[in-house]
Amino acid sequence: MGRPANGETAPKTKRRGETPLLPATFLKRGTYLPFTTSVLSYARLRRPTGGSLEILIPGLAGGAETYVIPYKVLPEVINLTVHDRALHEELAHLREISPSRIRQTANRVAMTGLGGPALAKRAKQERLADEEQPAMILLSLLRMAIGQLAPNHPGAKDLTERTIATPEGMKLARDALGGYAQSIGERGDKIYARLESWANRIAPVGSPDGNVAGYLMTLLVALEGLAAELGKWLIQEPPETAEMAQRTVTAARGAAELARAHLKALDQMANNMAEPLRDFENTEKKLKHHVERMALMIDGWQRVIDMWNAARAGDRFLQRDTLEIFAQHLPIMPEEAVGGQVEMWETLRQSQTRWGRTSQHRIDSDLDQDTKDKLSQFRKEP
């Protein structure tokens, strides 16, 4: 059974004379950083065009502004945990700033144990899955390709997940795809190689048939689960926390819908492989684009999901406190992605500003005056 999908909305027309409530682009918004230092729980990293790396720290001093700090000086301003110092050093070597690159770097640091055993265990599990899943996805793609391009090849109808992984099954798969390869003037092994590349490209998402879930698909499903759970949880809440929960639900669903639009595009290519395999150079670009955009749509939500998962076993008071903390810092979608949902995201941003002014749970509550004085020297953005 395939995966459900939702379409993207039309691009927004920018209105003149208004103070921007949303970042203009993903580049401007920056990429989420999995730091363990509490004040950096929602920090992001970006590299302005032609500029140096910057750390973005939102929500300090109860304000709506985001502090912009040159990357190199961060350890001189904030007292970082040992894990975060190591991560800070590793991230400095990144040429490409993207959710996938930061995740790989963060997992490498986490596996050293500097962030504790739980973080190390999770990173090792993710790394193992990253190594194993491309081969499993390839098997799914091979079955789909044979079913579409060589359904009448002897033995093709009897192929299963188990038999296709055997030497005999792989030989059958290569032979079956050989006929299609000849029809487009290619060698059979070239089609197999293209499917291998396809599998590697979509590994973060998983297989189109849903049998293998990559980490992005796992995060997307968890995000939709969070929205469904909070939608029920808020029914018994007083107006203030009910509003926070409802805004979180709306934001989570909005981000998930945008991610699923790219998932739908990936599935469409997989469900009609003939042309994508023929023009594979163009296909690779499309696969890369959709996977990267999907990652950007749900970037930063893992922190929120982890916090709610930890609070779930507690009482209502703990859950309310947790909600109040992360609701102020929900990932905001940039203008380039929101399409017709501008008002919804702007309303969320306005609500976050209001919550931040009255919140008893601020991320900078543990900062000493010396650190606050250092932070005040840096510029702020709306």
Side-chain angles (χ1 to χ4, degrees), residues 148 198 208 261-273 276:
Q148 294 175 34
W198 194 322
H262 293 283
L263 195 62
K264 178 180 178 181
L266 291 170
D267 287 348
Q268 287 175 338
M269 286 189 282
N271 291 327
N272 186 16
M273 288 184 168

Side-chain angles (χ1 to χ4, degrees), residues 246-261:
Q246 185 58 61
R247 298 281 187 218
T248 301
V249 169
T250 303
R253 287 176 177 165
E257 287 174 2
L258 291 172
R260 281 203 175 270

